[in-house]
Amino acid sequence: MAQNNSLLDYFGAPLGRAALVSALMASTALVALAPRVVYAQALVINGQQETIKADGTGTVQSGQTVDNLTIGVDQTNSSLTMSGGGSLTSLGTMSVGKNAGSEGVVTISGEGSTLSVSARMNIGDDGEGRLNIGAGGKVLSQFLAMGYFAGSTGVVTVSGARAEMAVNENIVVGFRSHGELAVTDGGAVSAGSLHLSRTGDSSGIVTVSGAYSTLSVGNTLTVGSDAGHGVLQINDGGALSANIVSIGFRTGSSDVATVSGENSTLTVDRSIVVGNTGLAKLEVEAGGAVSTSDIFVGSFARSNGTVTVSGADSTLTATGDFYLGQLTETTPSTGTLTINSGG
C-alpha cells in the first residue's frame, strides 16, 4: 500500500485569487500505482509529483474534470506531468506556485495530451511557477497571467512540433512581478490580447524563436503596459502577428521590440506605435522584416520613440501613413528613424 498525501480542496472564487475553503481529505490510502480519481472536486498537488497518462498508468486518472487545480501551495518540488495522450479539465482556475515560497511545475507533452482550464491560469501566483508544453501537447484557457503577485515568477515555454497553447482572452506576461513566455522550435501560441509588464515594477519577456514558431494575437499587443519593463524578441525565423502593437505604452515605461534574422517577421494589420507615452525602441536587424499599415514613432504627447533598421535585407514596410515625432509646445515628443548597414 502506498500513502498519497495530496489534498482535495474546493475553491470558492474561481476568477480571483483562489481561497482555500476546506480540506476534504488529508490523506488517502491507495493501491500502489492505482490512478487517483478526483470526483470533480479541486485537485491540489503540494510537495508531490503526480502523473497523468491515457493508458491509466499515471498516479491521477486521465480524462477527469475537476473544480480547480493547484500545483504547489506552500511546498517546493510539486509537479504534474501529463504525457501519452492524457487529459484533464479544470472548470475553474489553475494556480502553479500559489503561495510565497512555493514552487510548482506543470509539463504537458505527447500527441493528444490536453489540459483545459475554463477560467484563469496563474503561473507564479505568489510563488514560482512553470508551465512547459512540449511536442504534441496542448493547453487551452480563458486567461493567463505570469508573475501575478509582487515577488512571484512565472515562466511558460511552448516548444516543439505541434506544441500549442490557446488563450481566448488575455495573456499577461509579468502582471505585478516577473513573467516570461518562450515560443520555440515550432511551438504555436494564440491569444485575444497580449500584454508585457502589466503594472509598475513588473517585467515581462516574450521570445518567438525558430522556424515555424508562431505567436498570433487577435487584437492588441502592448510591450510595457505600465511603468515596468517589457522586452519582445522575434528571431531565427520566428513569426508574430497582431492587429495593433504598442511599445512603451505608459509614462515611465522603458520597452524594446527586436526582430532579428532571416525569415523573422512581425506582421501588424492596423498600426504600430513606438512610444505611446513612454520610452520605446523598435529594432529590425540581420534580415528581419516588419510590416504594417500605419506606424507612429514618438508621435504622442511626452513620448520618445526610436526605430532602427540595420543589416542586409532588413525591412520596415508601412503601406499607410508614417508619423515621426510631434511638434507641440506644451507636450513635446521625440521620434527617431535610423536606417544603416544595408537596411
Side-chain angles (χ1 to χ4, degrees), residues 63-85:
Q64 295 188 78
T65 298
V66 301
D67 286 341
N68 294 281
L69 175 62
T70 302
I71 297 90
V73 177
D74 54 14
Q75 300 292 317
T76 60
N77 200 27
S78 305
S79 67
L80 174 64
T81 302
M82 182 188 298
S83 60

Side-chain angles (χ1 to χ4, degrees), residues 54-131:
D55 63 6
T57 60
T59 59
V60 174
Q61 183 172 304
S62 178
Q64 295 188 78
T65 298
V66 301
D67 286 341
N68 294 281
L69 175 62
T70 302
I71 297 90
V73 177
D74 54 14
Q75 300 292 317
T76 60
N77 200 27
S78 305
S79 67
L80 174 64
T81 302
M82 182 188 298
S83 60
S87 65
L88 181 68
T89 298
S90 172
L91 297 176
T93 62
M94 180 174 80
S95 174
V96 183
K98 180 173 176 54
N99 294 327
S102 66
E103 296 178 5
V105 178
V106 175
T107 302
I108 313 293
S109 65
E111 291 295 335
S113 299
T114 304
L115 172 64
S116 300
V117 180
S118 298
R120 174 195 299 270
M121 293 194 300
N122 284 352
I123 310 300
D125 206 334
D126 212 354
E128 294 187 14
R130 181 179 289 272
L131 171 61

Side-chain angles (χ1 to χ4, degrees), residues 141-215:
S141 184
Q142 194 71 13
F143 179 95
L144 167 63
M146 288 157 259
Y148 192 77
F149 287 101
S152 65
T153 299
V155 178
V156 175
T157 301
V158 184
S159 181
R162 295 177 299 283
E164 180 183 348
M165 179 171 70
V167 178
N168 290 337
E169 296 182 8
N170 295 337
I171 295 178
V172 181
V173 185
F175 196 94
R176 295 183 181 92
S177 191
H178 180 70
E180 297 182 20
L181 170 62
V183 187
T184 65
D185 298 329
V189 172
S190 62
S193 295
L194 173 63
H195 307 286
L196 285 64
S197 179
R198 183 65 182 86
T199 60
D201 298 326
S202 65
S203 57
I205 300 172
V206 171
T207 302
V208 186
S209 179
Y212 306 109
S213 301
T214 61
L215 174 55

Side-chain angles (χ1 to χ4, degrees), residues 32-49:
L33 300 180
R36 180 152 59 94
V37 182
V38 181
Y39 296 117
Q41 294 164 349
L43 171 62
V44 176
I45 300 169
N46 193 32
Q48 295 84 36
Q49 298 78 51

